[in-house]
Amino acid sequence: MTSATGSTPPVRVAMLGCGTVGTQVERLIREQSADLTARVGAPVELTGIAVRRPHRHREVPEELLTTDAEALVASDVDVVVEVIGGIEPARSLLLAALRAGKSVVTANKALLAEHGPELYEAADESGADLYFEASVAGAIPLLRPLRESLAGDRVNRVMGIVNGTTNYVLSAMDSTGAAYGETLEEAGRLGYAEADPTADVDGFDAAAKAAILASLAFHTRVPAEAVHREGISRVTAADITAARGMGRVVKLLAICDRVVDEDGGESVSVRVHPAMIPRGHPLATVGGAFNAVFVEAEAAGQLMFYGQGAGGPQTASAVLGDLVAVARNRVAGGRSPRESAYAELPVRPMGQVATRYHISLDVADRTGVLAQVAAVFAENDVSIATVTQRGHRDEASLVIATHLASEDALRGTVEKIAALSAVREVVSVMRVEGEEP
Amino acid sequence: MTSATGSTPPVRVAMLGCGTVGTQVERLIREQSADLTARVGAPVELTGIAVRRPHRHREVPEELLTTDAEALVASDVDVVVEVIGGIEPARSLLLAALRAGKSVVTANKALLAEHGPELYEAADESGADLYFEASVAGAIPLLRPLRESLAGDRVNRVMGIVNGTTNYVLSAMDSTGAAYGETLEEAGRLGYAEADPTADVDGFDAAAKAAILASLAFHTRVPAEAVHREGISRVTAADITAARGMGRVVKLLAICDRVVDEDGGESVSVRVHPAMIPRGHPLATVGGAFNAVFVEAEAAGQLMFYGQGAGGPQTASAVLGDLVAVARNRVAGGRSPRESAYAELPVRPMGQVATRYHISLDVADRTGVLAQVAAVFAENDVSIATVTQRGHRDEASLVIATHLASEDALRGTVEKIAALSAVREVVSVMRVEGEEP
């Protein structure tokens, strides 16, 4: 193989953006040049890097830098690697590249989640490749297994921790008992949260990833806006304490479910929200920068993928893996799997999605309160699994775990319970995941 | 996409063998026919199954069965799926298929480990595909991530539990305190061990898998016979007890390491042997039928893959994933990655591989024994990390943990220590893995 590569023309690569990830991509292409040549069957040549302010990028060779991204994409390159992030100008640049038959490797989850079909179509028309492993869970090979390894199986569930910032904040709240606001501030000081943490703490980042995972897992287009999204900003120290009291921990989960109705009709439920999981659950011990994702498939059973979900070198590893695949296809022929959206399953409205709940209430310590509360649950058709009643002096608490209940029914129940005169405060309402029914 | 498939001719598939895995492959192809058609872009048609005794296979359609495997391979098929296992006739049949340009999907680890290069060459010459995800760790997508996702990274270590039988036996010994022999018998009665368990307990199965993993991870041909192999038959109840006393558990590990010499020279070490790992290590809790494999790569960092390593449906899921890839390539063009063995790293002899050891000795309870023992370690250049001395009445024990020591030096040390008059018995000598140095 090595002997043939001397004469094979190089695969020419343009890179858009040069931040934490791009810097590492440039380094890896340079340092692993001989390996890449052997693995691809031709040299991989980085011909240019488009950035806004070239003087800020002293860590990469100056002669590669350009401010004209459009011209770089239009130049004589085979592959465009995009690590700018955000929707524009990334979208226009990648569409231009794909339409010109240039293959694309991107780490851009927001773009994929919002404009995936448009990109796939452009790739399809020109026969170019579109790879995006780095867009979800950093270095963890997750999309390729879903797109390819499990292509002969039927995936029923994908559930995981896919955002490092929120995982850091929730872990810290769990270990210190501190409130959300001060923990987030501390996370910012330590570099675990961005200056503007909205995309992370409000769940936008995780929701984009959930949309991509669900689309691949269920062969169905799931746009980011179809993902039910709750962030962690309303998680209180009381929630965390309540979870601990039950031997649980609070995590922000991305959950993609295939739902089969009684009449056999199928739909998908895709959601991002905080949930309590048992401390013995494998996801409970996933800390800080690590991500972990469970996949349940009919034949394969339960699989877990674990690794670093963010970071320059880690994300660059995923980009390079895709780059090798794209470059190999250029040299040896072949194509990335096309969009597979044939199943066209409807996305179930969150109100109709059934999960189990934990509810903790501060109530007046008098007889009959439990009966009152239980009656409201019964009226709203929410079945109680366990109740724990604790009282001292005139204060008392009720901790209730429900069986599977729809979001709509649960919300209705909680509203009415909050209005009961005997209920002083609804301390915590949170979904419970990861337990056997 | 669906509209175009009506006119696309089917991808014709022959299957060799129809045991636990084959039965499930046939079922999945039949039951998921519509899904496979949509995912591949053409129908996937199983045209025949070669078996030795057709009357024993009532669970698959009778008209598919044939006893003439050679004729089936030579017939008008695009893909040959092999789930017979063993070297012959699998090797000859698959070589015939590949030479005729037919793509191959196989679950045969022994064949891959012993004759991988020959199969790759045949595939290369005719341009056929060769996929074998099911050969290692059942349903866990592991080979595709190594071959493709990490193709732009530098893998330094692969370490995991890849054999279910030995994992079951060691776990049972740990929880019951029973001896090896009776635990293995019990495992046989419960269906966790084969009638002839040699391939499992002597580590042949794990060694074949280690050879495949190392070949992919290090871009180097590593034949099965180059893998240092120790099974679990010499693991004693005393070893297990000694491990427990140190907060450890004994597991049969497959370990593939990239070794860099002081002068920068690289080699690989590939070995299968029992080792003590800390009970807090993620691999320590992997039980029964589950497999788990850690991969450490330079940029990606630490990754873990977890799932069911054996079983009919699980292994069939991996076969089907490969079948979809192969069939897609037939329809849309493209090829599996070819053999990547350009690195040609030498395999380091086990005698020169450095690991840490745990040694436990029964010694006479008199002064000076530790000094004698320590002197032998020093003479042989094996550095002691910790010694624990326990004594009651005239019995005493020494538990020694070493720093990194070569196998050769350690073996020499243990021989000389066993010959000391003050040493009554060398109770346990075992490698220690999974701890920070």
Side-chain angles (χ1 to χ4, degrees):
Chain A
M1 198 158 135
T2 321
S3 60
T5 58
S7 52
T8 313
V11 176
R12 293 166 59 84
V13 180
M15 185 159 71
L16 309 178
C18 196
T20 325
V21 176
T23 310
Q24 296 296 324
V25 170
E26 188 280 329
R27 180 181 66 82
L28 290 171
I29 291 177
R30 187 162 29 84
E31 291 181 2
Q32 307 200 15
S33 166
D35 281 320
L36 292 177
T37 302
R39 295 175 193 180
V40 166
V44 174
E45 188 189 326
L46 186 60
T47 65
I49 306 176
V51 295
R52 251 189 279 172
R53 298 181 196 82
H55 63 278
R56 290 208 185 165
H57 298 275
R58 304 197 176 222
E59 65 286 359
V60 299
E62 195 185 336
E63 65 274 19
L64 291 180
L65 297 171
T66 169
T67 54
D68 191 345
E70 277 178 46
L72 181 60
V73 166
S75 71
D76 177 25
V77 295
D78 306 293
V79 182
V80 174
V81 171
E82 184 264 314
V83 288
I84 317 176
I87 303 300
E88 287 294 352
R91 176 180 154 274
S92 303
L93 290 166
L94 294 191
L95 284 173
L98 290 168
R99 284 177 185 144
K102 289 158 191 183
S103 293
V104 162
V105 173
T106 171
N108 194 326
K109 59 198 156 271
L111 184 61
L112 253 296
E114 288 181 36
H115 299 279
E118 192 182 9
L119 294 170
Y120 270 124
E121 272 159 29
D124 243 28
E125 273 165 33
S126 70
D129 274 349
L130 174 60
Y131 279 91
F132 47 93
E133 181 70 63
S135 65
V136 181
I140 310 174
L142 183 59
L143 304 192
R144 188 172 266 106
L146 276 177
R147 273 220 285 193
E148 303 181 36
S149 309
L150 290 166
D153 206 333
R154 182 182 152 91
V155 175
N156 289 322
R157 171 169 252 214
V158 179
M159 172 167 101
I161 295 170
V162 295
N163 179 273
T165 301
T166 51
N167 198 43
Y168 174 85
V169 169
L170 292 172
S171 303
M173 286 174 73
D174 181 60
S175 57
T176 64
Y180 167 73
E182 64 182 279
T183 309
L184 178 62
E185 267 176 42
E186 176 74 9
R189 273 195 298 274
L190 295 171
Y192 289 104
E194 308 262 349
D196 175 4
T198 313
D200 293 315
V201 299
D202 287 347
F204 289 101
D205 174 83
K209 292 167 177 169
I212 294 171
L213 291 171
S215 299
L216 296 178
F218 305 131
H219 302 269
T220 289
R221 286 183 179 175
V222 179
E225 64 265 25
V227 178
H228 174 82
R229 179 183 50 76
E230 295 169 39
I232 64 164
S233 59
R234 282 185 295 180
V235 175
T236 63
D239 290 327
I240 305 270
T241 307
R244 190 182 301 116
M246 311 276 292
R248 297 187 183 129
V249 60
V250 177
K251 292 286 185 187
L252 184 71
L253 299 180
I255 303 176
C256 315
D257 272 325
R258 180 193 296 275
V259 183
V260 183
D261 281 337
E262 282 165 19
D263 62 2
E266 289 193 0
S267 58
V268 299
S269 146
V270 190
R271 48 204 169 95
V272 167
H273 56 68
M276 293 182 180
I277 57 172
R279 275 180 196 266
H281 193 281
L283 291 179
T285 52
V286 174
F290 280 86
N291 283 192
V293 177
F294 269 88
V295 177
E296 282 176 34
E298 205 136 300
Q302 204 169 60
L303 305 168
M304 189 177 83
F305 302 83
Y306 173 89
Q308 277 168 272
Q314 293 81 8
T315 309
S317 169
V319 169
L320 264 280
D322 281 354
L323 179 56
V324 168
V326 162
R328 264 186 195 152
N329 287 348
R330 289 269 155 180
V331 174
R335 288 217 33 208
S336 63
R338 297 155 86 179
E339 181 184 27
S340 178
Y342 70 90
E344 294 179 3
L345 300 176
V347 177
R348 205 176 180 83
M350 190 61 190
Q352 294 167 30
V353 172
T355 64
R356 273 167 303 146
Y357 288 85
H358 161 102
I359 300 134
S360 115
L361 307 172
D362 264 3
V363 296
D365 190 12
R366 57 180 196 240
T367 53
V369 175
L370 175 55
Q372 273 189 323
V373 168
V376 176
F377 273 85
E379 280 159 25
N380 286 272
D381 216 24
V382 175
S383 169
I384 292 178
T386 63
V387 180
T388 312
Q389 201 166 188
R390 286 198 196 89
H392 59 281
R393 305 208 186 135
D394 63 337
E395 286 185 22
S397 71
L398 279 184
V399 176
I400 297 161
T402 74
H403 287 299
L404 283 179
S406 77
E407 168 91 3
D408 281 347
L410 193 280
R411 292 286 150 210
T413 309
V414 170
E415 264 175 41
K416 281 176 199 146
I417 281 175
L420 291 175
S421 67
V423 172
R424 291 189 183 148
E425 194 193 348
V426 177
V427 178
S428 168
V429 177
M430 196 167 282
R431 294 188 185 81
V432 178
E433 295 286 344
E435 289 181 357
E436 295 304 311
Chain B
M1 197 157 135
T2 321
S3 60
T5 58
S7 52
T8 313
V11 176
R12 294 166 57 85
V13 180
M15 184 159 72
L16 309 178
C18 196
T20 325
V21 177
T23 310
Q24 297 296 323
V25 170
E26 189 279 328
R27 178 181 68 80
L28 290 172
I29 292 177
R30 186 161 30 83
E31 290 181 1
Q32 307 200 16
S33 165
D35 281 319
L36 293 177
T37 302
R39 294 176 193 180
V40 166
V44 174
E45 189 189 326
L46 186 60
T47 65
I49 307 176
V51 295
R52 252 189 279 174
R53 299 181 195 84
H55 63 279
R56 291 206 184 164
H57 297 275
R58 300 191 182 230
E59 64 288 358
V60 299
E62 196 185 334
E63 65 274 18
L64 290 180
L65 296 171
T66 172
T67 54
D68 193 344
E70 277 178 47
L72 181 60
V73 167
S75 71
D76 176 26
V77 296
D78 305 293
V79 182
V80 174
V81 171
E82 185 264 314
V83 288
I84 318 175
I87 302 302
E88 286 296 351
R91 176 180 154 276
S92 304
L93 290 166
L94 294 191
L95 284 173
L98 290 168
R99 284 176 185 145
K102 290 158 190 184
S103 293
V104 162
V105 174
T106 173
N108 194 325
K109 59 196 153 272
L111 184 61
L112 253 296
E114 289 182 35
H115 299 279
E118 192 182 9
L119 294 170
Y120 271 124
E121 272 160 29
D124 243 28
E125 274 165 33
S126 71
D129 273 348
L130 174 61
Y131 278 91
F132 46 93
E133 181 68 64
S135 65
V136 181
I140 310 173
L142 183 59
L143 304 191
R144 189 173 266 103
L146 276 178
R147 272 220 284 191
E148 302 179 37
S149 309
L150 291 165
D153 206 334
R154 182 183 153 93
V155 176
N156 288 323
R157 171 169 251 213
V158 179
M159 173 168 100
I161 294 170
V162 296
N163 179 273
T165 302
T166 50
N167 198 44
Y168 174 85
V169 169
L170 292 173
S171 302
M173 286 174 72
D174 182 59
S175 56
T176 64
Y180 167 74
E182 64 182 279
T183 309
L184 180 61
E185 268 177 40
E186 177 74 6
R189 274 194 297 276
L190 296 171
Y192 289 103
E194 308 263 348
D196 175 3
T198 313
D200 293 315
V201 300
D202 287 347
F204 290 101
D205 174 84
K209 291 166 178 170
I212 295 171
L213 291 171
S215 299
L216 296 178
F218 304 131
H219 303 269
T220 287
R221 286 183 179 174
V222 179
E225 64 266 25
V227 179
H228 174 82
R229 181 183 50 76
E230 295 170 40
I232 64 164
S233 58
R234 282 184 296 181
V235 175
T236 64
D239 289 328
I240 306 271
T241 308
R244 190 182 301 114
M246 311 277 290
R248 298 186 182 130
V249 61
V250 177
K251 293 285 185 189
L252 184 72
L253 299 181
I255 303 176
C256 314
D257 272 325
R258 180 193 297 273
V259 184
V260 182
D261 282 338
E262 282 164 21
D263 61 0
E266 289 194 359
S267 57
V268 300
S269 145
V270 190
R271 49 203 169 96
V272 167
H273 56 69
M276 293 181 181
I277 57 172
R279 275 179 196 268
H281 193 280
L283 291 178
T285 53
V286 174
F290 280 84
N291 282 192
V293 177
F294 269 87
V295 176
E296 281 176 34
E298 204 135 300
Q302 205 170 59
L303 304 169
M304 189 177 83
F305 302 83
Y306 173 89
Q308 278 169 272
Q314 292 81 6
T315 309
S317 169
V319 169
L320 264 280
D322 281 353
L323 179 55
V324 168
V326 163
R328 264 185 195 151
N329 287 348
R330 289 267 155 183
V331 173
R335 287 214 37 204
S336 63
R338 298 155 85 180
E339 182 183 28
S340 178
Y342 71 90
E344 294 179 2
L345 300 177
V347 177
R348 206 176 179 83
M350 190 60 190
Q352 294 167 29
V353 173
T355 63
R356 273 167 301 144
Y357 289 84
H358 162 103
I359 300 134
S360 116
L361 307 172
D362 264 2
V363 297
D365 190 11
R366 58 180 195 241
T367 51
V369 174
L370 175 56
Q372 273 189 324
V373 168
V376 176
F377 274 84
E379 281 159 23
N380 286 273
D381 216 21
V382 175
S383 167
I384 292 178
T386 64
V387 179
T388 314
Q389 200 165 189
R390 285 199 197 87
H392 59 280
R393 300 200 191 144
D394 64 336
E395 287 186 21
S397 71
L398 279 184
V399 176
I400 297 160
T402 75
H403 286 298
L404 283 179
S406 77
E407 168 91 3
D408 281 348
L410 194 280
R411 293 287 149 210
T413 309
V414 171
E415 264 175 40
K416 281 174 200 147
I417 281 175
L420 292 176
S421 66
V423 173
R424 291 186 182 149
E425 193 192 349
V426 177
V427 178
S428 167
V429 177
M430 196 167 283
R431 293 187 188 81
V432 178
E433 294 287 344
E435 289 179 0
E436 295 303 312

